[in-house]
Amino acid sequence: MIIGLIGAAAPACIISSVVTGKATPYLAMGLGLSSIGNVIGNSGFVEVIIVNEFNEYVREAFSAAGDIVIKSMMGGYLVYLNGKLIGDICDNELFLKRTPTSDRLLAASELRYPYEGSKTLMHVFDSFEDTALVLELLDGMYAELPEKKPAKAR
């Protein structure tokens, strides 16, 4: 997987290659898609991930449960656990999908829509320091969420 950050307003980026598996930080100021493409080579695919403090905090707090990937998507971020979508980050708040486990463990948490126009009511999560809760919650959610659908062949 190639990971990179594109955009003149972006403070930094991390680009890694499937071949090397190494991540290299680059300053993205003034870099356009062609510049990033030249750095990456002829991979044919660039995935955008914006690194900010809250996203890194979420990633670090949840990493004990598995591989956490946070992807930029339409002004917010999608949060994946071992390839399964578990929630969204919008305006530096984490929203987790509703599953039987999240409904049980987060019964006292606020339910809100993550962004204007959303049709999915989600749990607002802020108990990052409670490692036991995080592990039980994410293990249960992972077991209950569907597998990622394979990409359709073109």
PDB file of all heavy atoms in Angstrom, residues 44-75:
ATOM      1  N   GLY A  44       0.900   3.797  -9.433  1.00  0.00           N
ATOM      2  CA  GLY A  44      -0.449   3.882  -9.944  1.00  0.00           C
ATOM      3  C   GLY A  44      -1.504   4.151  -8.898  1.00  0.00           C
ATOM      4  O   GLY A  44      -2.665   4.316  -9.204  1.00  0.00           O
ATOM      5  N   PHE A  45      -1.148   4.214  -7.598  1.00  0.00           N
ATOM      6  CA  PHE A  45      -2.153   4.416  -6.566  1.00  0.00           C
ATOM      7  C   PHE A  45      -1.559   5.223  -5.429  1.00  0.00           C
ATOM      8  O   PHE A  45      -0.505   4.905  -4.926  1.00  0.00           O
ATOM      9  CB  PHE A  45      -2.640   3.068  -6.038  1.00  0.00           C
ATOM     10  CG  PHE A  45      -3.702   3.185  -4.982  1.00  0.00           C
ATOM     11  CD1 PHE A  45      -4.977   3.592  -5.315  1.00  0.00           C
ATOM     12  CD2 PHE A  45      -3.419   2.908  -3.666  1.00  0.00           C
ATOM     13  CE1 PHE A  45      -5.961   3.701  -4.347  1.00  0.00           C
ATOM     14  CE2 PHE A  45      -4.391   3.010  -2.695  1.00  0.00           C
ATOM     15  CZ  PHE A  45      -5.669   3.404  -3.041  1.00  0.00           C
ATOM     16  N   VAL A  46      -2.260   6.263  -5.033  1.00  0.00           N
ATOM     17  CA  VAL A  46      -1.861   7.067  -3.881  1.00  0.00           C
ATOM     18  C   VAL A  46      -3.048   7.116  -2.940  1.00  0.00           C
ATOM     19  O   VAL A  46      -4.155   7.435  -3.342  1.00  0.00           O
ATOM     20  CB  VAL A  46      -1.462   8.504  -4.304  1.00  0.00           C
ATOM     21  CG1 VAL A  46      -1.191   9.358  -3.080  1.00  0.00           C
ATOM     22  CG2 VAL A  46      -0.262   8.467  -5.216  1.00  0.00           C
ATOM     23  N   GLU A  47      -2.828   6.779  -1.709  1.00  0.00           N
ATOM     24  CA  GLU A  47      -3.872   6.803  -0.694  1.00  0.00           C
ATOM     25  C   GLU A  47      -3.582   7.979   0.224  1.00  0.00           C
ATOM     26  O   GLU A  47      -2.470   8.162   0.677  1.00  0.00           O
ATOM     27  CB  GLU A  47      -3.825   5.509   0.100  1.00  0.00           C
ATOM     28  CG  GLU A  47      -4.892   5.395   1.125  1.00  0.00           C
ATOM     29  CD  GLU A  47      -4.892   4.036   1.776  1.00  0.00           C
ATOM     30  OE1 GLU A  47      -4.474   3.056   1.155  1.00  0.00           O
ATOM     31  OE2 GLU A  47      -5.314   3.978   2.930  1.00  0.00           O
ATOM     32  N   VAL A  48      -4.594   8.785   0.506  1.00  0.00           N
ATOM     33  CA  VAL A  48      -4.399   9.999   1.284  1.00  0.00           C
ATOM     34  C   VAL A  48      -4.703   9.739   2.751  1.00  0.00           C
ATOM     35  O   VAL A  48      -5.770   9.249   3.088  1.00  0.00           O
ATOM     36  CB  VAL A  48      -5.315  11.130   0.765  1.00  0.00           C
ATOM     37  CG1 VAL A  48      -5.151  12.377   1.599  1.00  0.00           C
ATOM     38  CG2 VAL A  48      -5.019  11.413  -0.694  1.00  0.00           C
ATOM     39  N   ILE A  49      -3.743  10.029   3.602  1.00  0.00           N
ATOM     40  CA  ILE A  49      -3.929   9.938   5.046  1.00  0.00           C
ATOM     41  C   ILE A  49      -3.349  11.200   5.661  1.00  0.00           C
ATOM     42  O   ILE A  49      -2.180  11.489   5.488  1.00  0.00           O
ATOM     43  CB  ILE A  49      -3.230   8.695   5.643  1.00  0.00           C
ATOM     44  CG1 ILE A  49      -3.826   7.434   5.064  1.00  0.00           C
ATOM     45  CG2 ILE A  49      -3.325   8.721   7.161  1.00  0.00           C
ATOM     46  CD1 ILE A  49      -3.223   6.175   5.587  1.00  0.00           C
ATOM     47  N   ILE A  50      -4.175  11.963   6.347  1.00  0.00           N
ATOM     48  CA  ILE A  50      -3.707  13.188   6.964  1.00  0.00           C
ATOM     49  C   ILE A  50      -3.358  12.894   8.413  1.00  0.00           C
ATOM     50  O   ILE A  50      -4.127  12.273   9.130  1.00  0.00           O
ATOM     51  CB  ILE A  50      -4.763  14.297   6.854  1.00  0.00           C
ATOM     52  CG1 ILE A  50      -4.983  14.619   5.388  1.00  0.00           C
ATOM     53  CG2 ILE A  50      -4.351  15.522   7.643  1.00  0.00           C
ATOM     54  CD1 ILE A  50      -6.001  15.663   5.109  1.00  0.00           C
ATOM     55  N   VAL A  51      -2.187  13.329   8.805  1.00  0.00           N
ATOM     56  CA  VAL A  51      -1.708  13.084  10.154  1.00  0.00           C
ATOM     57  C   VAL A  51      -1.973  14.330  10.989  1.00  0.00           C
ATOM     58  O   VAL A  51      -1.503  15.407  10.658  1.00  0.00           O
ATOM     59  CB  VAL A  51      -0.204  12.755  10.137  1.00  0.00           C
ATOM     60  CG1 VAL A  51       0.304  12.526  11.545  1.00  0.00           C
ATOM     61  CG2 VAL A  51       0.080  11.562   9.253  1.00  0.00           C
ATOM     62  N   ASN A  52      -2.751  14.187  12.046  1.00  0.00           N
ATOM     63  CA  ASN A  52      -2.913  15.273  13.000  1.00  0.00           C
ATOM     64  C   ASN A  52      -2.860  14.672  14.396  1.00  0.00           C
ATOM     65  O   ASN A  52      -2.905  13.461  14.571  1.00  0.00           O
ATOM     66  CB  ASN A  52      -4.167  16.111  12.735  1.00  0.00           C
ATOM     67  CG  ASN A  52      -5.460  15.416  13.082  1.00  0.00           C
ATOM     68  OD1 ASN A  52      -5.514  14.582  13.977  1.00  0.00           O
ATOM     69  ND2 ASN A  52      -6.517  15.752  12.392  1.00  0.00           N
ATOM     70  N   GLU A  53      -2.776  15.521  15.402  1.00  0.00           N
ATOM     71  CA  GLU A  53      -2.580  15.042  16.767  1.00  0.00           C
ATOM     72  C   GLU A  53      -3.721  14.158  17.258  1.00  0.00           C
ATOM     73  O   GLU A  53      -3.476  13.123  17.875  1.00  0.00           O
ATOM     74  CB  GLU A  53      -2.395  16.227  17.713  1.00  0.00           C
ATOM     75  CG  GLU A  53      -1.057  16.892  17.559  1.00  0.00           C
ATOM     76  CD  GLU A  53      -0.872  18.037  18.544  1.00  0.00           C
ATOM     77  OE1 GLU A  53      -1.412  17.954  19.664  1.00  0.00           O
ATOM     78  OE2 GLU A  53      -0.198  19.003  18.175  1.00  0.00           O
ATOM     79  N   PHE A  54      -4.973  14.544  17.006  1.00  0.00           N
ATOM     80  CA  PHE A  54      -6.091  13.736  17.481  1.00  0.00           C
ATOM     81  C   PHE A  54      -6.111  12.373  16.793  1.00  0.00           C
ATOM     82  O   PHE A  54      -6.312  11.346  17.444  1.00  0.00           O
ATOM     83  CB  PHE A  54      -7.430  14.454  17.283  1.00  0.00           C
ATOM     84  CG  PHE A  54      -8.580  13.694  17.884  1.00  0.00           C
ATOM     85  CD1 PHE A  54      -8.771  13.663  19.260  1.00  0.00           C
ATOM     86  CD2 PHE A  54      -9.459  12.982  17.090  1.00  0.00           C
ATOM     87  CE1 PHE A  54      -9.823  12.956  19.828  1.00  0.00           C
ATOM     88  CE2 PHE A  54     -10.509  12.273  17.652  1.00  0.00           C
ATOM     89  CZ  PHE A  54     -10.689  12.258  19.016  1.00  0.00           C
ATOM     90  N   ASN A  55      -5.876  12.357  15.487  1.00  0.00           N
ATOM     91  CA  ASN A  55      -5.848  11.080  14.764  1.00  0.00           C
ATOM     92  C   ASN A  55      -4.763  10.163  15.332  1.00  0.00           C
ATOM     93  O   ASN A  55      -4.989   8.962  15.505  1.00  0.00           O
ATOM     94  CB  ASN A  55      -5.605  11.301  13.281  1.00  0.00           C
ATOM     95  CG  ASN A  55      -6.759  11.948  12.584  1.00  0.00           C
ATOM     96  OD1 ASN A  55      -7.733  12.370  13.207  1.00  0.00           O
ATOM     97  ND2 ASN A  55      -6.675  12.058  11.273  1.00  0.00           N
ATOM     98  N   GLU A  56      -3.594  10.718  15.597  1.00  0.00           N
ATOM     99  CA  GLU A  56      -2.504   9.919  16.158  1.00  0.00           C
ATOM    100  C   GLU A  56      -2.856   9.424  17.556  1.00  0.00           C
ATOM    101  O   GLU A  56      -2.525   8.299  17.923  1.00  0.00           O
ATOM    102  CB  GLU A  56      -1.203  10.722  16.180  1.00  0.00           C
ATOM    103  CG  GLU A  56      -0.508  10.750  14.844  1.00  0.00           C
ATOM    104  CD  GLU A  56      -0.203   9.354  14.315  1.00  0.00           C
ATOM    105  OE1 GLU A  56       0.542   8.595  14.989  1.00  0.00           O
ATOM    106  OE2 GLU A  56      -0.723   9.005  13.243  1.00  0.00           O
ATOM    107  N   TYR A  57      -3.533  10.254  18.341  1.00  0.00           N
ATOM    108  CA  TYR A  57      -3.970   9.863  19.681  1.00  0.00           C
ATOM    109  C   TYR A  57      -4.925   8.669  19.600  1.00  0.00           C
ATOM    110  O   TYR A  57      -4.787   7.693  20.345  1.00  0.00           O
ATOM    111  CB  TYR A  57      -4.633  11.059  20.362  1.00  0.00           C
ATOM    112  CG  TYR A  57      -5.118  10.795  21.762  1.00  0.00           C
ATOM    113  CD1 TYR A  57      -4.228  10.554  22.795  1.00  0.00           C
ATOM    114  CD2 TYR A  57      -6.480  10.803  22.051  1.00  0.00           C
ATOM    115  CE1 TYR A  57      -4.673  10.316  24.085  1.00  0.00           C
ATOM    116  CE2 TYR A  57      -6.939  10.574  23.336  1.00  0.00           C
ATOM    117  CZ  TYR A  57      -6.034  10.330  24.347  1.00  0.00           C
ATOM    118  OH  TYR A  57      -6.484  10.097  25.615  1.00  0.00           O
ATOM    119  N   VAL A  58      -5.891   8.735  18.690  1.00  0.00           N
ATOM    120  CA  VAL A  58      -6.837   7.628  18.488  1.00  0.00           C
ATOM    121  C   VAL A  58      -6.082   6.377  18.049  1.00  0.00           C
ATOM    122  O   VAL A  58      -6.290   5.290  18.586  1.00  0.00           O
ATOM    123  CB  VAL A  58      -7.922   7.999  17.450  1.00  0.00           C
ATOM    124  CG1 VAL A  58      -8.756   6.780  17.067  1.00  0.00           C
ATOM    125  CG2 VAL A  58      -8.804   9.120  17.972  1.00  0.00           C
ATOM    126  N   ARG A  59      -5.192   6.545  17.064  1.00  0.00           N
ATOM    127  CA  ARG A  59      -4.436   5.397  16.561  1.00  0.00           C
ATOM    128  C   ARG A  59      -3.621   4.740  17.668  1.00  0.00           C
ATOM    129  O   ARG A  59      -3.637   3.516  17.823  1.00  0.00           O
ATOM    130  CB  ARG A  59      -3.526   5.813  15.402  1.00  0.00           C
ATOM    131  CG  ARG A  59      -2.920   4.616  14.663  1.00  0.00           C
ATOM    132  CD  ARG A  59      -1.811   5.032  13.730  1.00  0.00           C
ATOM    133  NE  ARG A  59      -0.717   5.688  14.424  1.00  0.00           N
ATOM    134  CZ  ARG A  59       0.156   5.086  15.224  1.00  0.00           C
ATOM    135  NH1 ARG A  59       0.059   3.798  15.448  1.00  0.00           N
ATOM    136  NH2 ARG A  59       1.109   5.758  15.814  1.00  0.00           N
ATOM    137  N   GLU A  60      -2.947   5.535  18.472  1.00  0.00           N
ATOM    138  CA  GLU A  60      -2.134   4.985  19.560  1.00  0.00           C
ATOM    139  C   GLU A  60      -3.004   4.309  20.621  1.00  0.00           C
ATOM    140  O   GLU A  60      -2.671   3.231  21.104  1.00  0.00           O
ATOM    141  CB  GLU A  60      -1.290   6.084  20.192  1.00  0.00           C
ATOM    142  CG  GLU A  60      -0.146   6.519  19.310  1.00  0.00           C
ATOM    143  CD  GLU A  60       0.604   7.715  19.871  1.00  0.00           C
ATOM    144  OE1 GLU A  60       0.497   7.973  21.094  1.00  0.00           O
ATOM    145  OE2 GLU A  60       1.300   8.382  19.090  1.00  0.00           O
ATOM    146  N   ALA A  61      -4.116   4.936  20.997  1.00  0.00           N
ATOM    147  CA  ALA A  61      -4.992   4.376  22.029  1.00  0.00           C
ATOM    148  C   ALA A  61      -5.627   3.058  21.589  1.00  0.00           C
ATOM    149  O   ALA A  61      -5.842   2.160  22.402  1.00  0.00           O
ATOM    150  CB  ALA A  61      -6.089   5.375  22.392  1.00  0.00           C
ATOM    151  N   PHE A  62      -5.916   2.926  20.304  1.00  0.00           N
ATOM    152  CA  PHE A  62      -6.593   1.731  19.786  1.00  0.00           C
ATOM    153  C   PHE A  62      -5.622   0.678  19.254  1.00  0.00           C
ATOM    154  O   PHE A  62      -6.030  -0.436  18.953  1.00  0.00           O
ATOM    155  CB  PHE A  62      -7.562   2.118  18.674  1.00  0.00           C
ATOM    156  CG  PHE A  62      -8.853   2.724  19.156  1.00  0.00           C
ATOM    157  CD1 PHE A  62      -9.048   3.091  20.475  1.00  0.00           C
ATOM    158  CD2 PHE A  62      -9.899   2.924  18.270  1.00  0.00           C
ATOM    159  CE1 PHE A  62     -10.241   3.644  20.911  1.00  0.00           C
ATOM    160  CE2 PHE A  62     -11.099   3.475  18.696  1.00  0.00           C
ATOM    161  CZ  PHE A  62     -11.269   3.831  20.016  1.00  0.00           C
ATOM    162  N   SER A  63      -4.355   0.989  19.114  1.00  0.00           N
ATOM    163  CA  SER A  63      -3.411   0.075  18.458  1.00  0.00           C
ATOM    164  C   SER A  63      -3.204  -1.234  19.221  1.00  0.00           C
ATOM    165  O   SER A  63      -2.808  -2.228  18.623  1.00  0.00           O
ATOM    166  CB  SER A  63      -2.072   0.767  18.207  1.00  0.00           C
ATOM    167  OG  SER A  63      -1.463   1.105  19.434  1.00  0.00           O
ATOM    168  N   ALA A  64      -3.490  -1.263  20.519  1.00  0.00           N
ATOM    169  CA  ALA A  64      -3.367  -2.515  21.272  1.00  0.00           C
ATOM    170  C   ALA A  64      -4.363  -3.559  20.779  1.00  0.00           C
ATOM    171  O   ALA A  64      -4.142  -4.758  20.944  1.00  0.00           O
ATOM    172  CB  ALA A  64      -3.584  -2.254  22.764  1.00  0.00           C
ATOM    173  N   ALA A  65      -5.450  -3.119  20.143  1.00  0.00           N
ATOM    174  CA  ALA A  65      -6.485  -4.038  19.658  1.00  0.00           C
ATOM    175  C   ALA A  65      -6.178  -4.573  18.259  1.00  0.00           C
ATOM    176  O   ALA A  65      -6.796  -5.539  17.819  1.00  0.00           O
ATOM    177  CB  ALA A  65      -7.839  -3.349  19.637  1.00  0.00           C
ATOM    178  N   GLY A  66      -5.241  -3.945  17.555  1.00  0.00           N
ATOM    179  CA  GLY A  66      -4.914  -4.395  16.197  1.00  0.00           C
ATOM    180  C   GLY A  66      -4.377  -3.263  15.354  1.00  0.00           C
ATOM    181  O   GLY A  66      -3.999  -2.202  15.866  1.00  0.00           O
ATOM    182  N   ASP A  67      -4.382  -3.484  14.056  1.00  0.00           N
ATOM    183  CA  ASP A  67      -3.869  -2.511  13.099  1.00  0.00           C
ATOM    184  C   ASP A  67      -4.908  -1.417  12.872  1.00  0.00           C
ATOM    185  O   ASP A  67      -5.989  -1.684  12.367  1.00  0.00           O
ATOM    186  CB  ASP A  67      -3.534  -3.219  11.780  1.00  0.00           C
ATOM    187  CG  ASP A  67      -2.953  -2.287  10.747  1.00  0.00           C
ATOM    188  OD1 ASP A  67      -2.175  -1.388  11.121  1.00  0.00           O
ATOM    189  OD2 ASP A  67      -3.277  -2.447   9.557  1.00  0.00           O
ATOM    190  N   ILE A  68      -4.582  -0.194  13.244  1.00  0.00           N
ATOM    191  CA  ILE A  68      -5.495   0.942  13.089  1.00  0.00           C
ATOM    192  C   ILE A  68      -5.016   1.798  11.926  1.00  0.00           C
ATOM    193  O   ILE A  68      -3.863   2.217  11.887  1.00  0.00           O
ATOM    194  CB  ILE A  68      -5.544   1.803  14.372  1.00  0.00           C
ATOM    195  CG1 ILE A  68      -6.031   0.984  15.563  1.00  0.00           C
ATOM    196  CG2 ILE A  68      -6.397   3.047  14.164  1.00  0.00           C
ATOM    197  CD1 ILE A  68      -7.458   0.478  15.459  1.00  0.00           C
ATOM    198  N   VAL A  69      -5.902   2.030  10.969  1.00  0.00           N
ATOM    199  CA  VAL A  69      -5.616   2.893   9.826  1.00  0.00           C
ATOM    200  C   VAL A  69      -6.675   3.985   9.809  1.00  0.00           C
ATOM    201  O   VAL A  69      -7.864   3.701   9.948  1.00  0.00           O
ATOM    202  CB  VAL A  69      -5.622   2.101   8.497  1.00  0.00           C
ATOM    203  CG1 VAL A  69      -5.468   3.026   7.309  1.00  0.00           C
ATOM    204  CG2 VAL A  69      -4.531   1.050   8.506  1.00  0.00           C
ATOM    205  N   ILE A  70      -6.229   5.226   9.641  1.00  0.00           N
ATOM    206  CA  ILE A  70      -7.134   6.364   9.589  1.00  0.00           C
ATOM    207  C   ILE A  70      -6.967   7.027   8.233  1.00  0.00           C
ATOM    208  O   ILE A  70      -5.869   7.460   7.887  1.00  0.00           O
ATOM    209  CB  ILE A  70      -6.848   7.352  10.739  1.00  0.00           C
ATOM    210  CG1 ILE A  70      -7.082   6.642  12.078  1.00  0.00           C
ATOM    211  CG2 ILE A  70      -7.704   8.599  10.610  1.00  0.00           C
ATOM    212  CD1 ILE A  70      -6.704   7.450  13.292  1.00  0.00           C
ATOM    213  N   LYS A  71      -8.061   7.072   7.460  1.00  0.00           N
ATOM    214  CA  LYS A  71      -8.022   7.597   6.095  1.00  0.00           C
ATOM    215  C   LYS A  71      -8.868   8.859   5.982  1.00  0.00           C
ATOM    216  O   LYS A  71      -9.970   8.915   6.501  1.00  0.00           O
ATOM    217  CB  LYS A  71      -8.572   6.566   5.106  1.00  0.00           C
ATOM    218  CG  LYS A  71      -7.782   5.292   5.035  1.00  0.00           C
ATOM    219  CD  LYS A  71      -8.399   4.342   4.037  1.00  0.00           C
ATOM    220  CE  LYS A  71      -7.643   3.035   3.990  1.00  0.00           C
ATOM    221  NZ  LYS A  71      -8.205   2.131   2.979  1.00  0.00           N
ATOM    222  N   SER A  72      -8.337   9.828   5.265  1.00  0.00           N
ATOM    223  CA  SER A  72      -9.075  11.055   5.003  1.00  0.00           C
ATOM    224  C   SER A  72     -10.201  10.766   4.021  1.00  0.00           C
ATOM    225  O   SER A  72     -10.014  10.063   3.032  1.00  0.00           O
ATOM    226  CB  SER A  72      -8.125  12.093   4.405  1.00  0.00           C
ATOM    227  OG  SER A  72      -8.827  13.245   4.049  1.00  0.00           O
ATOM    228  N   MET A  73     -11.401  11.331   4.340  1.00  0.00           N
ATOM    229  CA  MET A  73     -12.534  11.111   3.455  1.00  0.00           C
ATOM    230  C   MET A  73     -13.505  12.280   3.585  1.00  0.00           C
ATOM    231  O   MET A  73     -14.089  12.485   4.649  1.00  0.00           O
ATOM    232  CB  MET A  73     -13.247   9.803   3.830  1.00  0.00           C
ATOM    233  CG  MET A  73     -14.415   9.451   2.946  1.00  0.00           C
ATOM    234  SD  MET A  73     -13.991   9.121   1.233  1.00  0.00           S
ATOM    235  CE  MET A  73     -13.145   7.575   1.404  1.00  0.00           C
ATOM    236  N   MET A  74     -13.644  13.074   2.542  1.00  0.00           N
ATOM    237  CA  MET A  74     -14.635  14.150   2.443  1.00  0.00           C
ATOM    238  C   MET A  74     -14.700  15.045   3.680  1.00  0.00           C
ATOM    239  O   MET A  74     -15.765  15.232   4.267  1.00  0.00           O
ATOM    240  CB  MET A  74     -16.009  13.566   2.142  1.00  0.00           C
ATOM    241  CG  MET A  74     -16.094  12.923   0.789  1.00  0.00           C
ATOM    242  SD  MET A  74     -17.783  12.496   0.414  1.00  0.00           S
ATOM    243  CE  MET A  74     -17.690  10.719   0.457  1.00  0.00           C
ATOM    244  N   GLY A  75     -13.598  15.568   4.125  1.00  0.00           N
ATOM    245  CA  GLY A  75     -13.572  16.504   5.239  1.00  0.00           C
ATOM    246  C   GLY A  75     -13.464  15.863   6.604  1.00  0.00           C
ATOM    247  O   GLY A  75     -13.274  16.546   7.598  1.00  0.00           O
TER     248      GLY A  75
END
